[in-house]
Amino acid sequence: MLSTSAPGDIRSALPPSPPDESEPFESVLEDLDAVLQRGLTHWQSPRFFGYFATTASEPAILAELLVATLNQVGILWRASPALQELEEVTVSWLRQILGLPEGWHGQLEEAASLSSTIALAAARATRPGQRVVVCSEHAHSSIDKACRLLDLEVRRLPADERFALRPELIDLEGACAAVGTIGTTSCASIDPIEALAEACERAGVWLHIDAAYAGAAAALPELRTLFAGWERADSIVVNPHKWLLVSQGCSVLWTRRPDELRRAFSLVPEYLRVTEDVVSYSEYSQVLGRRFRALTLWTVLRCHGVNGIRDVLREHVRLAGQFERWVDAEPGWEVVAPRHFSLVCFRLEASDEVNQELMDRVNRSGEMFLSHTRLDDQFVLRLAIGNARTTETDVRQAWEVLRREASAIRANG
Ligand code: PLP
């Protein structure tokens, strides 16, 4: 599950220089088994519960083969009208699935980190001289990184006991943007989006919503209330490569202010000038040549269908609720954060060292993988359900492994 290789193992097992003569493809496959395999952490396993679990679903895998085969390089509309226009259609489909307003511009990027950087670059250009970005202490580190690159200053506000930004502390003095998170990385908490929208509208500050993980859940009508107010944002990021069955490398950035993105990013050199009256995605992004990501997202949406995707998401939320109830009912264990989606934060009622030991033992067992965070200055275990192949049997087994290893620790000490 978790790779068993030690640092440098893989590197030292590989030739330091390339072959002069061609090798058969079988040799590559042999080395995949003989060398690389032990350095793989199995993100595709149904018992991968670390970070935010993901799925490269079968349609995504096949579509990626087509993406590489067709090798479209989307530098401008005429370089691949299919890429440009399929992307427009596909992000509009996903916008509808998530219940976002008509007319928003959407684009696909490699990762949420880049989507947020692009949104904050546009926000910065709207308020020259205002260099602060306001967010909660639980906002993702990609916001800090974006601000570092854009020479902006981050103002992190303390969160409440539910790990959400406190509305009464919102201070937009000197700000060009505020970032609200729906589904924070540590514990999937939700910032008060309506209050943020209110304050941003009053102050004329750009509101960016980071829903990289949890945004997928807006496809479920019964969870839509958790997203109240996000339609008032200036930009939103959601990652299909997290919880929407798409392989790594697919993040959607929507904005209702595309002209601001274009103002920040459009730079068309002579050799890319054309006579057609078209706009190309390269004018809205830092990247010139884009991959045919839309083909993968489009394939996934078609082959699963909206109802198929909803079934997967709903089952993950149900399984997380089941696991949460088991932990809650077990003496000596505690759930430590409110659960909204498919992530459960929990711990043994014991020291940080014991919880760390528990996680290490569980991960060493190879039967499952989970990761940790710190909340209220305590070491906390995270069980993130997000792989489409995860069943109730997997989650039950994970709970058995956790209880077994906790008993072993108690017996030893
Ligand atoms: N935002 C949130 C809330 C996240 O949880 C993550 C990653 O887990 C990111 C942003 C960064 O995503 P990416 O790896 O696509 O840059």
Side-chain angles (χ1 to χ4, degrees):
M1 186 83 46
L2 177 63
S3 158
T4 51
S5 79
D9 263 4
I10 305 295
R11 203 167 38 243
S12 61
L14 294 169
S17 315
D20 287 331
E21 305 302 332
S22 73
E23 294 183 27
F25 190 67
E26 296 86 80
S27 306
V28 173
L29 293 179
E30 275 164 26
D31 278 350
L32 181 62
D33 285 343
V35 181
L36 299 183
Q37 179 71 23
R38 64 176 182 272
L40 298 178
T41 290
H42 293 281
W43 286 76
Q44 288 281 66
S45 164
R47 270 177 272 132
F48 183 104
F49 299 110
Y51 313 118
F52 283 125
T54 67
T55 317
S57 62
E58 289 80 355
I61 295 167
L62 294 175
E64 285 288 298
L65 283 175
L66 294 174
V67 171
T69 307
L70 298 170
N71 196 29
Q72 298 295 281
V73 184
I75 52 177
L76 72 172
W77 178 85
R78 69 160 59 168
S80 181
L83 181 154
Q84 169 80 29
E85 295 183 17
L86 184 68
E87 188 163 327
E88 290 170 12
V89 169
T90 307
V91 293
S92 164
W93 281 13
L94 189 55
R95 177 189 55 69
Q96 293 167 51
I97 295 170
L98 304 187
L100 288 167
E102 291 252 346
W104 281 32
H105 160 100
Q107 60 194 53
L108 297 175
E109 300 295 343
E110 167 74 17
S113 303
L114 184 52
S115 295
S116 291
T117 305
I118 291 168
L120 293 178
R124 181 182 71 165
T126 62
R127 304 197 92 201
Q130 312 278 78
R131 307 200 71 81
V132 174
V133 173
V134 175
C135 61
S136 122
E137 59 177 307
H138 289 285
H140 189 262
S141 57
S142 56
I143 303 303
D144 299 83
K145 232 187 227 189
C147 290
R148 199 193 289 173
L149 288 172
L150 296 167
D151 196 22
L152 297 170
E153 177 197 328
V154 184
R155 179 182 298 148
R156 282 187 175 263
L157 304 176
D160 64 14
E161 68 292 345
R162 294 171 65 82
F163 310 105
L165 190 144
R166 294 171 192 266
E168 71 278 13
L169 296 186
I170 298 171
D171 167 13
L172 298 178
E173 183 65 37
C176 60
V179 179
T181 310
I182 303 179
T184 57
T185 313
S186 272
C187 64
S189 59
I190 303 173
D191 285 332
I193 302 302
E194 295 277 19
L196 266 171
E198 200 69 46
C200 285
E201 282 163 16
R202 232 180 301 120
V205 166
W206 184 290
L207 176 58
H208 177 62
I209 302 290
D210 180 355
Y213 151 66
L220 297 177
E222 66 271 27
L223 294 189
R224 209 39 94 58
T225 51
L226 299 175
F227 295 82
W230 76 333
E231 71 287 350
R232 294 166 71 180
D234 295 284
S235 55
I236 295 178
V237 57
V238 174
N239 277 5
H241 73 209
K242 281 193 165 41
W243 200 13
L244 275 172
L245 315 179
V246 177
S247 40
Q248 175 63 22
C250 186
S251 170
V252 190
L253 172 65
W254 284 285
T255 179
R256 65 185 165 91
R257 300 173 69 182
D259 290 349
E260 305 296 351
L261 257 67
R262 194 172 176 194
R263 227 188 308 282
F265 287 100
S266 182
L267 198 166
V268 185
E270 182 55 39
Y271 57 89
L272 294 180
R273 297 233 160 104
V274 290
T275 47
E276 298 101 10
D277 182 20
V278 288
V279 191
S280 305
Y281 273 119
S282 50
E283 290 188 62
Y284 294 82
S285 175
Q286 186 180 357
V287 175
L288 176 63
R290 57 185 38 234
R291 293 182 80 233
F292 202 177
R293 287 192 180 85
L295 187 64
T296 307
L297 180 56
W298 184 62
T299 306
V300 166
L301 296 182
R302 290 185 64 177
C303 293
H304 290 278
V306 178
N307 288 334
I309 290 170
R310 285 194 178 125
D311 289 347
V312 171
L313 297 170
R314 203 168 266 134
E315 178 63 359
H316 288 171
V317 175
R318 185 189 76 79
L319 291 174
Q322 180 71 266
F323 181 83
E324 182 185 38
R325 283 190 292 280
W326 290 334
V327 175
D328 222 17
E330 185 84 1
W333 295 76
E334 57 178 341
V335 174
V336 295
R339 183 193 57 80
H340 308 289
F341 304 106
S342 64
L343 171 68
V344 184
C345 291
F346 65 104
R347 66 195 305 278
L348 263 179
E349 288 171 344
S351 66
D352 283 358
E353 291 69 28
V354 168
N355 277 281
Q356 169 90 57
E357 187 185 348
L358 173 62
M359 185 178 81
D360 292 345
R361 288 180 73 111
V362 161
N363 288 342
R364 262 200 314 271
S365 78
E367 294 166 87
M368 62 182 282
F369 175 64
L370 83 176
S371 60
H372 80 284
T373 189
R374 282 196 91 75
L375 292 174
D376 288 335
D377 208 23
Q378 283 190 317
F379 187 95
V380 169
L381 301 168
R382 297 167 72 263
L383 186 105
I385 300 176
N387 188 283
R389 300 173 190 98
T390 300
T391 64
E392 183 161 336
T393 307
D394 295 305
V395 179
R396 194 177 290 280
Q397 198 160 343
W399 180 223
E400 290 310 318
V401 172
L402 279 156
R403 290 172 68 218
R404 182 192 73 208
E405 295 302 327
S407 300
I409 292 172
R410 286 194 195 103
N412 288 344

